[in-house]
């Protein structure tokens, strides 16, 4: 048995709202479309806030809604301090924020510090001449004489492409860790730091509760921009960039945010490959408050792999007194239900078995996500058990091939399920099974996965041990993950069967006289703790 407990002693931080909150990520283009143009908008989000309150989440993270040419669907920003007309306007944002706050929901927004759009006035100015006053706001280099780029860094999205593009007008290369339409800002330039801090101030003054900072670890670069070593050739540089100066910059960002009081949060997207590297961006409690834990997102659906991922996360973050986060899906990766289905197909699981197990696996994963020690992030639509929309290559829109997980949410039984239907349909096709899996249908069905998420969120909210208790990994039969959460004498045991076979429970995992408080597969499970855990079943037990 391994036991993990909160190590942080600072009373301000141990009480912080974001430690006990459940976040819900909204990808605005695909959440809800109020004006019927096929693209989701801020008014669509506002009109569904009550549904999110009913679901039981505490905080929203909104992916970018700023002015953008949409080369990376909003992560290429041309005006950080305005709303793109496709999503609404600043008044719509203010109305959304006020209504969310009125309903008790916190709102965290995306802040994209590493790059802008190539249509941002800063870049247009910088690219206009080598002598532009803003030339140094971006990273320009001469290449070697053979016409090759300045170094071997690879851009994200197209792994065959350099992270550099040559600007014919001024005959220099500019750096872009992502799409060529997303030139990297040069954070060595003090005016860039000030301008990007001003963006934070603009939204903090408007009342947002914090930021999810996009690829925050990339705002510092080695001054010599050295080649990546040959053994990591082909890995995008954004997943490798990890230099000490970034920590100073993150500390400055954190102190700006702290100057607005102690209840705003900085969530870092630290897109590095190890939990250890990610954990370093918590600093000494003076960098990010929270960082996404991507190695756990990529863990396959196996009790053993999750056990080691949890143990590693707890040990690594615990050593720093840092608070974990947990996420299974987001707008950059196939949804977890799709990933687990595809992995099962690769293992040779037949189609019928996969069809039978698919939702059951998603349900057990929900129980895990919402009973771990740390802050969970849900991605819109996972509460409906959505899978990715299949997008044929000729219809792909996203340069990074991520359209499938961004398919619009099906809301109701109308022909477009809440989106325009026919020739002017939504910007991406709806996900599979939208006609039976839409929210209204699930709302009417107490056995739906939507109701499972609601029950889970209600139970978590009413159970301090699940929100902030210690966590122990218990010895369990093969294929079963068993957690014990405890706080001030309140104890819960969580059992997760990741296999397709029933498993006899040892007495330590089925204490006599205890009750089933929640089952992944039954809204009204028998109260008595069973002797056997069903296939792909998860249970939460309490005395
Ligand atoms: C990470 C974001 O999550 C992703 O969607 C985006 O494409 C890149 N950063 C670049 O901003």
């Amino acid at each position: 048995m391994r036991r993990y407990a909160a190590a942080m002693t600072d009373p301000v931080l141990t009480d912080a709202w974001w430690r006990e909150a459940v976040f819900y990520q909204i990808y605005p283009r695909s959440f809800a479309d109020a004006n019927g143009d096929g693209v989701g908008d801020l008014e669509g989000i506002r009109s569904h806030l009550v549904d999110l309150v009913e679901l039981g989440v505490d905080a929203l993270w909104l992916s970018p809604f700023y002015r953008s040419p949409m080369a990376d669907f909003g992560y290429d920003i041309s005006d950080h301090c305005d709303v793109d007309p496709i999503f609404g306007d600043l008044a719509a944002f203010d109305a959304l924020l006020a209504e969310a706050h009125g309903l008790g929901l916190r709102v965290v927004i995306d802040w994209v510090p590493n790059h802008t759009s190539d249509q941002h006035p800063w870049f247009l100015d910088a690219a206009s001449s080598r002598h532009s006053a803003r030339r140094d706001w971006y990273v320009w280099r001469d290449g070697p004489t053979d016409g090759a780029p300045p170094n071997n860094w690879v851009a994200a999205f197209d792994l065959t492409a350099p992270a550099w593009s040559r600007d014919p007008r001024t005959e220099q290369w500019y750096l872009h860790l992502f799409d060529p339409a997303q030139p990297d800002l040069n954070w060595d330039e003090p005016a860039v730091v000030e301008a990007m801090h001003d963006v934070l101030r603009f939204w903090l003054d408007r009342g947002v509760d914090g930021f999810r900072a996009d690829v925050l670890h990339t705002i510092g670069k080695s001054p010599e921009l050295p080649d990546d070593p040959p053994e990591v050739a082909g890995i995008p540089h954004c997943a490798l960039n990890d230099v000490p100066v970034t920590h100073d910059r993150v500390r400055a960002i954190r102190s700006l945010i702290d100057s607005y009081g102690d209840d705003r949060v900085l969530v870092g997207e630290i897109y590095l490959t190890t939990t250890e590297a990610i954990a370093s961006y918590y600093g000494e409690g003076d960098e990010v408050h929270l960082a996404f834990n991507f190695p756990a997102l990529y863990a396959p659906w196996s009790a053993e792999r999750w056990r080691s991922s949890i143990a590693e996360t707890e040990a690594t973050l615990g050593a720093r007194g840092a608070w974990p986060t947990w996420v299974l899906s987001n707008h950059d990766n196939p949804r977890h239900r799709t990933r687990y289905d595809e992995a099962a197909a690769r293992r040779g699981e037949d189609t019928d078995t996969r069809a039978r197990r698919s939702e059951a696996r998603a349900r057990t994963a929900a129980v895990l996500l919402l009973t771990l020690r740390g802050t969970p992030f849900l991605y819109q639509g996972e509460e409906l058990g959505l899978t990715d929309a299949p997008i044929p290559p000729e219809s792909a829109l996203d340069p990074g091939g991520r359209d499938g997980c961004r398919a619009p949410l099906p809301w109701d039984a109308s022909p477009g399920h809440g989106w325009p239907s026919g020739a002017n349909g939504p910007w991406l096709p709806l996900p599979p099974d939208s006609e039976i899996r839409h929210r209204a249908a699930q709302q009417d069905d107490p056995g739906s996965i939507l109701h499972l998420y609601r029950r889970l969120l209600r139970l978590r909210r009413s159970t301090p041990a699940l929100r902030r208790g210690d966590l122990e990994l218990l010895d369990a039969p093969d294929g079963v993950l068993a957690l014990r959460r405890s706080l001030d004498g309140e104890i819960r045991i969580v059992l997760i069967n990741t296999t397709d076979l029933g498993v006899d429970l040892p007495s330590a995992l089925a204490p006599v006289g205890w009750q089933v408080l929640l089952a992944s597969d039954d809204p009204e499970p028998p109260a008595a703790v069973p002797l056997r855990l069903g296939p792909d079943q998860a249970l939460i037990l309490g005395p």
Side-chain angles (χ1 to χ4, degrees):
M1 273 194 294
R2 311 259 318 255
R3 187 186 178 104
Y4 305 99
M8 215 170 237
T9 47
D10 178 341
V12 175
L13 293 183
T14 44
D15 284 352
W17 63 267
W18 42 263
R19 285 167 69 101
E20 297 194 23
V22 175
F23 281 75
Y24 182 95
Q25 181 193 354
I26 291 184
Y27 191 70
R29 292 184 76 84
S30 302
F31 184 72
D33 178 13
N35 66 0
D37 65 355
V39 177
D41 42 51
L42 296 181
E43 180 56 19
I45 299 171
R46 196 191 61 73
S47 67
H48 284 289
L49 288 176
V50 285
D51 296 327
L52 298 173
V53 170
E54 193 179 47
L55 176 62
V57 297
D58 307 289
L60 311 180
W61 151 32
L62 306 183
S63 279
F65 48 80
Y66 316 107
R67 273 193 192 264
S68 164
M70 304 290 167
D72 185 14
F73 293 110
Y75 284 94
D76 51 316
I77 297 172
S78 55
D79 184 345
H80 297 91
C81 299
D82 200 3
V83 172
D84 194 278
I86 202 143
F87 297 125
D89 54 21
L90 280 170
F93 178 80
D94 290 340
L96 165 60
L97 186 64
E99 193 161 327
H101 282 166
L103 290 166
L105 291 168
R106 307 270 185 166
V107 179
V108 164
I109 62 172
D110 233 298
W111 176 63
V112 185
N114 176 66
H115 44 267
T116 66
S117 161
D118 63 350
Q119 301 306 307
H120 195 295
W122 299 342
F123 187 74
L124 293 176
D125 184 7
S128 66
S129 148
R130 286 193 185 210
H131 308 292
S132 150
R134 288 209 181 87
R135 184 70 173 177
D136 290 339
W137 283 39
Y138 294 85
V139 183
W140 298 95
R141 289 290 184 279
D142 295 320
T145 47
D146 62 1
N151 69 15
N152 72 352
W153 293 2
V154 171
F157 308 152
D158 176 0
L159 302 185
T160 62
W164 297 89
S165 287
R166 192 157 189 279
D167 169 41
R169 186 148 43 137
T170 57
E171 298 185 322
Q172 274 193 312
W173 297 78
Y174 66 88
L175 177 66
H176 53 83
L177 296 188
F178 293 89
D179 193 78
Q182 293 167 294
D184 277 38
L185 284 163
N186 173 18
W187 276 72
D188 295 339
E189 169 62 46
V192 165
V193 178
E194 206 35 49
M196 288 309 292
H197 282 193
D198 279 346
V199 173
L200 292 171
R201 292 188 190 99
F202 177 86
W203 293 103
L204 287 164
D205 288 338
R206 278 197 122 77
V208 301
D209 297 289
F211 301 92
R212 174 272 191 187
D214 189 71
V215 287
L216 185 60
H217 62 295
T218 57
I219 62 175
K221 315 240 168 34
S222 281
E224 313 77 35
L225 307 178
D227 274 350
D228 284 329
E231 59 273 19
V232 291
I235 297 182
H237 183 77
C238 66
L240 303 168
N241 191 88
D242 189 13
V243 297
V245 68
T246 310
H247 294 278
D248 300 334
R249 293 174 185 173
V250 176
R251 271 191 292 276
I253 292 160
R254 169 67 181 273
S255 74
L256 186 163
I257 289 173
D258 284 353
S259 73
Y260 279 76
D262 58 18
D263 66 344
R264 317 275 181 128
V265 67
L266 177 62
V267 186
E269 187 209 23
I270 311 294
Y271 192 74
L272 292 169
T273 51
T274 65
T275 300
E276 177 101 48
I278 294 169
S280 72
Y281 287 84
Y282 284 83
E284 303 294 322
D286 54 358
E287 297 187 40
V288 299
H289 294 102
L290 297 173
F292 292 111
N293 184 19
F294 292 119
L297 183 149
Y298 296 121
W301 188 236
S302 125
E304 290 66 33
R305 294 292 288 275
W306 267 92
R307 201 182 154 84
S308 58
S309 183
I310 295 164
E312 188 193 348
T313 301
E314 290 282 5
T316 312
L317 268 61
R320 295 178 165 269
W323 187 245
T325 67
W326 300 98
V327 57
L328 296 175
S329 287
N330 63 24
H331 65 296
D332 286 334
N333 295 281
R335 288 180 176 278
H336 58 278
R337 182 167 169 190
T338 299
R339 292 200 310 273
Y340 299 159
D341 282 353
E342 287 174 353
R346 284 195 298 277
R347 284 196 308 271
E349 199 170 278
D350 63 69
T351 318
D352 288 350
T353 310
R354 271 165 43 219
R356 178 168 46 76
R357 296 191 64 191
S358 174
E359 182 172 316
R361 273 194 282 246
R363 286 170 175 252
T364 47
V367 175
L368 174 64
L369 178 64
L370 290 166
T371 56
L372 285 167
R373 198 182 77 93
T375 301
F377 283 76
L378 309 183
Y379 175 49
Q380 65 179 38
E382 71 176 73
E383 76 280 15
L384 303 178
L386 298 186
T387 50
D388 286 11
I391 310 282
E394 63 280 9
S395 312
L397 299 177
D398 173 47
R402 300 160 293 183
D403 294 324
C405 64
R406 300 173 176 182
L409 289 201
W411 286 99
D412 56 37
S414 68
H417 303 299
W419 298 80
S421 57
N424 301 317
W427 74 289
L428 282 173
L430 290 162
D433 304 330
S434 288
E435 53 305 331
I436 50 167
R437 203 163 267 293
H438 57 75
R439 191 179 176 285
Q442 297 204 35
Q443 165 91 355
D444 292 343
D445 173 8
S448 66
I449 189 168
L450 173 64
H451 277 274
L452 169 66
Y453 270 85
R454 276 202 210 153
R455 286 196 301 280
L456 273 165
L457 288 160
R458 241 191 341 258
L459 186 62
R460 188 183 161 97
R461 191 172 277 178
S462 63
T463 313
L466 291 179
R467 295 201 313 273
R468 52 173 194 270
D470 296 353
L471 177 143
E472 273 173 78
L473 285 164
L474 303 177
D475 294 334
D478 286 353
V480 173
L481 190 60
L483 317 174
R484 183 177 190 270
R485 302 292 314 275
S486 58
L487 182 76
D488 299 337
E490 182 180 63
I491 301 172
R492 298 291 178 264
I493 290 181
V494 183
L495 301 174
I496 291 157
N497 186 355
T498 63
T499 76
D500 197 17
L501 301 169
V503 179
D504 290 334
L505 290 173
S507 55
L509 298 186
V512 176
W514 278 37
Q515 294 179 16
V516 175
L517 304 177
L518 179 140
S520 59
D521 55 349
D522 187 349
E524 290 178 22
V529 176
L531 299 175
R532 216 171 144 73
L533 191 58
D536 291 306
Q537 188 189 42
L539 300 176
I540 303 178
L541 312 178

